[in-house]
Amino acid sequence: MAQLLNETGRIEIRELLKKARKARIIDAAFHTDEKIGKYTDIELMSYQAAFVNRTFK
């Protein structure tokens, strides 16, 4: 699988998802630390886009 993000990008998006979870922007029951840690680059970018979209409605 092609890598789209560098490690810094992965870390940044994972931290963003954890903040979004804490702020109840994304579902905490679904987006566990374990799942967030295993997301692919495509999943990370997709969830990042969803976060931005939900934040700026």
Side-chain angles (χ1 to χ4, degrees), residues 15-39:
E15 289 304 312
L16 176 67
L17 293 177
K18 290 175 184 178
K19 289 177 184 177
R21 182 181 62 195
K22 187 175 180 179
R24 298 181 183 172
I25 296 169
I26 61 174
D27 183 8
F30 182 81
H31 297 284
T32 63
D33 284 345
E34 183 178 351
K35 281 188 177 181
I36 290 172
K38 292 181 181 179
Y39 287 155

Side-chain angles (χ1 to χ4, degrees), residues 1 3 14-15 25 33 37-38 41 45:
M1 185 180 298
Q3 299 229 349
R14 286 183 177 122
E15 289 304 312
I25 296 169
D33 284 345
K38 292 181 181 179
D41 288 358
M45 290 188 298

